[in-house]
Amino acid sequence: MIRKAALLLAALWAAPAASAVECSDAAYEGNRYSICEVDASREQLRLFLRDGEGQVYGHFSTLDTALAEDGKALVFATNAGMYHSDRSPVGLYVEDGAEEMRLVTNAGPGNFGLLPNGVFCIREGRADVFETFAFGKAAPACAYATQSGPMLVINGELHPRFLPDSDSYYVRNGVGTSADGHRVVFAISRNAVTFHQFGSLFRDYLKLPNALYFDGNISRLHAPELGRSDAGFMMGPVVGVVEDAPAGE
């Protein structure tokens, strides 16, 4: 009996730790979504834009290949904020502590300028969605940050400009965070939805107090767990979870 217990204990120690990223497909109020939940207190959640030579990664496959050279693997990723035609960020962008683009606080055209917009900030052991002016006031030290807009949920309330009867339907993706910053949930719609429907997903179904819109029809998802790694036009900023590649790969 003692020997069996010892063997079981050894097997448990030898077993690889379960990934703290969980992806699944879900339906809510007649719409379909792919949802990936990350435990920011455990996972290596990072932003990516350019390689060591300053070239934009642009595709999940390019990024995954680059990570593999360092013995890493991309286990989840999605596009992370709006960008110009040259793939440079429209608003604040911080990667590994270095700021590429400043915080933009003024209203403007398009979804980004539909205030209030916000910032997704990754720090040690947590990640948070901030409304832009709250972010500027708090000035958190983000290792990684990306600004986008509009906010979907602000302190438990939907963006004031969202209309229940809107006829603006697009595929959409975004991110929401819990109050303690540990639970980070990324969602992408699998059919066209309105802002009101998408914001309601985060507030009412996922029960998250703050959520931020990333983008519309260019939205992409890399989720091997779901057998999915979307291709298409080059992206700008990408958020992803990185793990050590399995031995032998």
Side-chain angles (χ1 to χ4, degrees):
M1 182 65 71
I2 294 176
R3 183 172 181 273
K4 287 183 178 180
L7 289 172
L8 177 60
L9 184 60
L12 290 173
W13 277 105
S19 172
V21 183
E22 296 182 358
C23 295
S24 62
D25 290 327
Y28 179 64
E29 293 195 336
N31 295 305
R32 296 172 297 120
Y33 301 92
S34 291
I35 297 170
C36 290
E37 188 159 336
V38 178
D39 182 345
S41 69
R42 294 174 53 196
E43 285 297 312
Q44 299 179 58
L45 189 59
R46 297 165 53 183
L47 287 167
F48 302 90
L49 180 58
R50 307 178 192 277
D51 62 20
E53 297 180 354
Q55 299 299 310
V56 174
Y57 289 111
H59 304 281
F60 298 135
S61 57
T62 306
L63 176 54
D64 202 20
T65 298
L67 289 168
E69 295 175 358
D70 293 327
K72 303 289 185 179
L74 189 67
V75 297
F76 155 79
T78 189
N79 55 291
M82 297 175 185
Y83 50 86
H84 297 293
S85 59
D86 64 356
R87 274 62 187 177
S88 62
V90 172
L92 177 72
Y93 185 78
V94 177
E95 185 173 329
D96 200 17
E99 183 179 288
E100 173 165 335
M101 176 61 190
R102 63 177 177 82
L103 187 71
V104 175
T105 58
N106 54 292
N111 291 326
F112 182 93
L114 185 62
L115 301 185
N117 56 20
V119 176
F120 178 56
C121 167
I122 302 170
R123 292 176 280 176
E124 182 67 30
R126 67 180 297 154
D128 300 273
V129 168
F130 291 89
E131 184 274 327
T132 291
F133 287 101
F135 177 88
K137 184 176 181 180
C142 309
Y144 299 89
T146 182
Q147 186 180 9
S148 192
M151 288 285 287
L152 297 169
V153 186
I154 311 147
N155 297 325
E157 300 293 333
L158 295 184
H159 191 291
R161 298 282 296 277
F162 292 175
L163 302 175
D165 58 352
S166 171
D167 60 0
S168 179
Y169 285 83
Y170 290 95
V171 169
R172 304 182 189 276
N173 81 310
V175 61
T177 56
S178 60
D180 65 5
H182 292 173
R183 183 174 173 237
V184 184
V185 185
F186 300 88
I188 181 170
S189 67
R190 299 172 63 205
N191 58 270
V193 296
T194 67
F195 271 133
H196 192 278
Q197 290 170 333
F198 197 46
S200 297
L201 172 81
F202 283 95
R203 185 189 66 175
D204 303 329
Y205 181 74
L206 297 172
K207 307 296 184 184
L208 295 167
N210 290 288
L212 178 65
Y213 180 64
F214 275 155
D215 220 323
N217 280 346
I218 64 93
S219 299
R220 313 266 174 69
L221 178 66
H222 173 79
E225 186 176 350
L226 299 178
R228 181 172 175 177
S229 187
D230 302 339
F233 293 112
M234 287 185 67
M235 296 174 287
V238 169
V239 60
V241 171
V242 175
E243 292 183 352
D244 292 335
E249 291 192 5

